[in-house]
Structures are given as structure tokens and as C-alpha cells.
Amino acid sequence: MVNGVKVRQPVFVLGAPHSGADLLARALKRSPGFHLTMGRAPVARVVYAFARKPSIARSGGAPRVLRDVLAEAWQIIPGACAECAAPCREAGGIVGAGPCALEEIGSGTLARFGDASPDLLYSAPVLLQAFPDARFVQLIRDGRDVVADMLADPAAMAWFKPHMLAEDTEFPNPFLGVNAAAHRDRWKEMTTAGKSALRWRAAIRLSAVLRKELPAGQLLTIRYEDLHRSPAGSIDTVSEFLDTKISTIALYGTRAPNVGTWRRRLGPADVKIVEKVAREELKRLGYQ
């Protein structure tokens, strides 16, 4: 129970870094009856602990920890939005202290909760244990555009410092895209474009596992490029999946999806690295 409302079928938006989770989160956050959070500090701490130490996520107490921290994040009280990250406040159109969903509470129309915190993908198995009726929407994007955006994002680049693969790092490590301890030194010598490509590839693999294991009624996969080509059609698909009317108008905010901009943002060497990683992944999955 959150603010007197029973949490049923919470919605979690998943994807590799810069794959469009923030765009869809904006549309959900501004839809009537929805209260969606993005990057609340307590949630982020748990998500990154699970991502960097998968053994913690596999522990028996992990689902309760994640359920409790999300329940706290979803509490709607005066001033609550002051603790939210800037992207969450911007997505909700918050001016001042908020909170973003107070009117929904007062009208009794608040019905759905959700979260679209960065790197939530790595906690998907724990989320499913914590909320067996959860609905997941995952976004897939061209790896070249993902890498181009990551290279321009200081927060994403901060994960690639050599000390991130310390001696106590667990392998395989999907968060950084490194499969074995034997690859540690090779990873440290890679370019940032190569490290970004490995992160994208590992996220794609996790998404593929979810798509294989979860029923169609519980998981929806959306391509980022479709948000660009057919925003109305994509949002209609999400609306039908969640049985909730979602506004297309709120999808973009101040920017539209970037599609194909990697051509002017990546150098030839970086493009070669990313495309090599992508080809290897397609081959692994049985595609030519």
C-alpha cells in the first residue's frame, strides 16, 4: 500500500543507457493516474549495488529491499519532489517543491505506480520477484547511436575508469559488459567507445533473456527508432499493453529522438569498433 492505494501491476521501464527510457518515462509520468519515479537516490543506490554485485541481487532479501525502497520513493507528500533527480523533476514539469502527483491523490484517480531509473534493467529479475504482477517495457536502440550519446555523457563515462574493475569485481559483469576476470586488463586498455559498446551489448543480452522468459502479457519491447518513425503508433502500443491511455504529446518534451546522428558524432575508428561488437552479437544470436 502506498498513500492508501494498493500497488497493482507496477510498470518498470528498462533499457541500455541512452536507449529512450527517459522519453517513455516522461509520457507515463504525465499520464492521468500514473505516478512514476526516475532516479530517486535511495533507489539508485540499491540498483547500482545489484548491478555491480550480482550476488547481492541473488540473495534472499533482495526483493524485499527493492520493494521497500520503491514504496518509499512512491510516497506522495509535500516537498517530496525536492529529493528527486533533475530528470525526474523535469519530466514531471515540477516547478518549486512539488509533489508531481498530489492532485491525483486528492481526486482518488491515482491507480498505477512505476519507475524508470537509469540502469534499472540490471534489477529486472529482482523486480519480478518483488512484484510478480509487474509490467515491463524495454527499449532497444541502434548501438551506434547509444555509444555516441554515452560518449557525450560525463555520468556514463564515469563508470569506465580503470578502478571500476577492482580485484573484488564479480564476473560475468553485465553492467560493464565484461565476461571474465581474464578480460580485465584488456577492458582497461580499450577505448571508451569500445567500453560503451560492451555495455550496450550486455544490456541487449539481458533484454533478450527477458523477452524469452517473460510472457507477452508482462513484457513489451519497443524500438527507439519506432518512437521517431511512428510516435503515435508506438504510444498506442504501450497504452494497449498497460491498459492505460498515454499521451503522445508528452513523449518528447524539448527534444525528439536522435536517430542516425552517430554518422556525424562518431569517428571512423569508433564506428568500426561498435559495428564489430554488433556483428559478433548478431552472429551469436544466429543471425547473418
Side-chain angles (χ1 to χ4, degrees):
M1 298 290 293
V2 176
N3 287 101
V5 180
K6 176 67 175 178
V7 177
R8 292 187 174 88
Q9 297 184 357
V11 179
F12 300 106
V13 186
L14 315 174
H18 293 284
S19 289
D22 58 325
L23 296 179
L24 185 56
R26 164 192 290 276
L28 292 174
K29 193 172 181 67
R30 298 199 183 191
S31 297
F34 242 104
H35 179 42
L36 183 136
T37 50
M38 302 165 59
R40 288 291 294 268
V43 177
R45 285 193 290 269
V46 172
V47 167
Y48 285 120
F50 290 172
R52 297 190 61 195
K53 293 284 186 180
S55 61
I56 299 177
R58 293 191 294 267
S59 66
R64 180 173 181 176
V65 169
L66 196 51
R67 185 167 54 243
D68 288 350
V69 76
L70 283 167
E72 180 181 351
W74 290 332
Q75 291 291 332
I76 302 173
I77 56 177
C81 287
E83 301 177 12
C84 290
C88 187
R89 293 173 56 82
E90 189 278 331
I94 300 302
V95 177
C100 58
L102 187 59
E103 292 183 2
E104 301 289 352
I105 282 289
S107 65
T109 60
L110 184 64
R112 301 294 290 274
F113 295 84
D115 191 84
S117 294
D119 297 312
L120 193 62
L121 172 65
Y122 305 97
S123 295
V126 188
L127 287 168
L128 188 58
Q129 295 177 59
F131 304 96
D133 65 340
R135 297 295 182 267
F136 298 92
V137 182
Q138 61 180 12
L139 289 104
I140 306 296
R141 187 186 184 192
D142 186 317
R144 294 165 296 189
D145 278 325
V146 168
V147 171
D149 274 358
M150 290 181 70
L151 292 176
D153 179 4
M157 292 297 96
W159 294 112
F160 295 144
K161 295 180 180 179
H163 71 270
M164 290 303 297
L165 281 186
E167 291 301 320
D168 63 344
T169 300
E170 297 178 5
F171 297 96
N173 192 299
F175 181 69
L176 295 176
V178 184
N179 294 327
H183 301 161
R184 180 186 281 112
D185 291 339
R186 182 182 175 188
W187 180 88
K188 290 180 179 179
E189 294 173 356
M190 290 184 73
T191 64
T192 50
K195 293 175 181 177
S196 299
L198 290 182
R199 277 205 73 189
W200 168 78
R201 181 175 68 178
I204 291 296
R205 290 180 176 179
L206 290 177
S207 295
V209 170
L210 287 176
R211 190 167 186 178
K212 180 179 179 180
E213 295 182 349
L214 290 179
Q218 201 160 11
L219 174 72
L220 175 67
T221 301
I222 296 289
R223 287 199 60 92
Y224 180 97
E225 290 74 18
D226 288 340
L227 293 178
H228 171 76
R229 285 189 292 262
S230 178
S234 298
I235 289 300
D236 284 347
T237 299
V238 177
S239 296
E240 182 179 358
F241 173 70
L242 299 178
D243 193 26
T244 301
K245 182 60 179 176
I246 301 169
S247 172
T248 306
I249 297 175
L251 180 62
Y252 297 156
T254 58
R255 63 185 179 90
N258 291 321
V259 176
T261 60
W262 61 268
R263 291 180 176 85
R264 58 179 171 78
R265 302 169 67 197
L266 293 179
D270 290 342
V271 172
K272 185 176 180 180
I273 290 173
V274 178
E275 291 185 339
K276 180 177 184 293
V277 170
R279 283 195 301 271
E280 291 175 351
E281 185 62 9
L282 289 173
K283 183 178 179 180
R284 188 188 75 86
L285 293 173
Y287 298 103
Q288 297 300 322

